[in-house]
Amino acid sequence: MTSTTGGTTRRRRHEAMVSWRLRIVLCVCLAVVAVLGLRLFQVQGLDPSGQAQAAVSERLRSQSVPAERGDILDADGDVLATNVQRYDLAVDQTLVDDYRVRDEATGLVTTKSVDEAVGQLAEILDADVETLRERMTGDERYSVVARSVTPEQRRRAMDLGIPGLNAEQVAQRTYPSGSVAGSILGYVGSDGEPLDGLELSQEEVLSGEDGERVFEVGADGVRIPTATLEEIPAVDGSDVQLTVDQDLQWFAQEAIAQKTHQYDAEWGNVTVMDVETGEILAMADSQTVDPSNPGATDELFRRPLALTQDFEPGSTGKAITFAAALEEGVVSPTDSYTVPHEKEFDGQVIHDSMNHSTYDMTAAGIFARSYNTGTVMIGNQMSEQTRYDWMREVGLGGELDVGMPTSATSLLRSPEEWDSRQPFTTQFGQGYTSTVLHNLNQFQTIANDGVHVPPRLISETIGPDGEEQPYDAGESERVFSSETSQEMLKLMEGVVDHGTGGGAEVAGYRVGGKSGTGQAAGEAGGFDGLTTSFVGVAPLDDPQYLVSVTVHRPQGDWKDWTVTDTFHDVMAQVLSTRNVAPTGEESESYDAFVGEEQDRPW
């Protein structure tokens, strides 16, 4: 009896405990269901759009839409720099795995291994298999597989269907004319960033604004074709049209390369300018960088020498002295002077480059034969400040900006800083520096009826919609009177007729100019070389074109040097290709000597 009662009690206790545990489990389950229900209510009832958006956001990918970089064009609209379509291949390494492909011919589905896919891709890209495998496998979410592949390579690569492989459009800069105007154009790096030249200085105009493309991808990283696509379109860059004629540029490059080689010189330059507009038609150096391979060219020649190299101009600097004297009314072309080979001025001895007899000469003859002593006689009729002010009027001592990263710089101290010789040497192109562009700048003013027009290298910009925007190079300004300009042209004609500019003649045209030879400063101080040059204009009865030829540090005897033959070749090419008809007009140059006898020894 007792045993039976005890068993029944234990059973009841056990049943009660099981019942209690069931109640606890049931309560827990009800609590979980309640929490899930509340969460489901929140997701579906209170915030369905937010949760959906979060899910979509996890699948969204953003891709930059690069703007098309503008072209650089020559004066005729021919392309000097442009883009070609290329692609960068990149991969999400975490998605790269064996994958299934369908044979279009048989309809059979097979599995393609990673090794097999990499091998096929290496064949398409002509790349090393092991290098590609390293780039495609691993834990990186973004790995560049290959850069700048062609559209055909991109198509074949994407047709492989490799999971995680994407193609990103990029622009590759090309230069169809090679090294023609290379130092003007500049170049870009492998990443497309501009490094020099107009590519750098006009970056804001050329680059445009990138857009953005947003799209959804599936779990395999591949874009969902039917999913929403949002795109902010790119704004393409504008084209930059130059004043440079690429055919003339090429001709000038060949001409100055030949002349520089002839004299084994350090460098040479030919620059051509339109007198009336200030447009630079050619700016050619003896060596020119190929923008597609700038590292192959010495750094000196990666920028235009007409801007970067300043030097003592020598006797081309006499033009401003004579123009100022004419404008100030202290001299006329036929005024006579007794000109010795050597003369002392305020304790400073000035002499000419070669010994000559003492001559009774006209002012025009002093200019034609380029005598220093006679030039100082004329220049001394003006104050130092007056001469300095006129030099500044034609741009000496300042910067000239033509839209390049580098401005042309001339060094000219004020009279208060001149030493005892500079009041005299500055009258004949020594004691200060100029660049090729500065030399042309002052001759443009003289030849253009006395009106200065800022030099121009850029003609206009052309927007992606075709809208043309003229480039603002600055305002024109009258510097000399028309009378001074006309007289200076006659003095320059005398240089070619019976002065230092023999060989510059162009048959059928009146030609004028000025030669110069200046000392070249050495790196260790002092002077250890020379720079020889000639600047000329034609036709004088209607001045249209200026040509400057400069050769730095030619070797040999300076008395044997001549650059007027190069001037002749380039000027003849300009007049011919620009369809300037010969005038056949007679020379208006003045006599060089007082009296009847004009044929006198140098």
Side-chain angles (χ1 to χ4, degrees), residues 313-359:
S315 292
T316 54
K318 291 172 181 171
I320 182 59
T321 301
F322 276 77
L326 288 168
E327 190 71 18
E328 292 290 330
V330 300
V331 72
S332 68
T334 56
D335 286 350
S336 62
Y337 295 84
T338 300
V339 184
H341 158 67
E342 184 177 280
K343 186 174 176 63
E344 183 176 329
F345 300 91
D346 295 337
Q348 296 295 320
V349 177
I350 303 298
H351 59 82
D352 294 322
S353 57
M354 294 187 296
N355 288 321
H356 62 81
S357 301
T358 298
Y359 293 129

Side-chain angles (χ1 to χ4, degrees), residues 65-136:
V65 180
E68 183 77 10
R69 189 172 182 82
D71 294 341
I72 302 178
L73 314 172
D74 83 339
D76 294 327
D78 295 326
V79 174
L80 294 170
T82 190
N83 296 320
V84 293
Q85 190 177 20
R86 292 292 183 267
Y87 295 87
D88 286 349
L89 298 182
V91 71
D92 181 344
Q93 294 178 345
T94 64
L95 299 176
V96 176
D97 201 350
D98 296 350
Y99 61 101
R100 297 172 67 81
V101 295
R102 179 184 296 274
D103 189 315
E104 294 183 0
T106 64
L108 297 177
V109 177
T110 59
T111 298
K112 182 179 290 188
S113 69
V114 172
D115 286 344
E116 185 180 359
V118 169
Q120 290 179 330
L121 184 61
E123 183 177 347
I124 292 171
L125 301 178
D126 191 22
D128 179 68
V129 173
E130 290 303 320
T131 301
L132 279 187
R133 183 179 286 105
E134 291 178 6
R135 294 173 181 174
M136 294 187 65

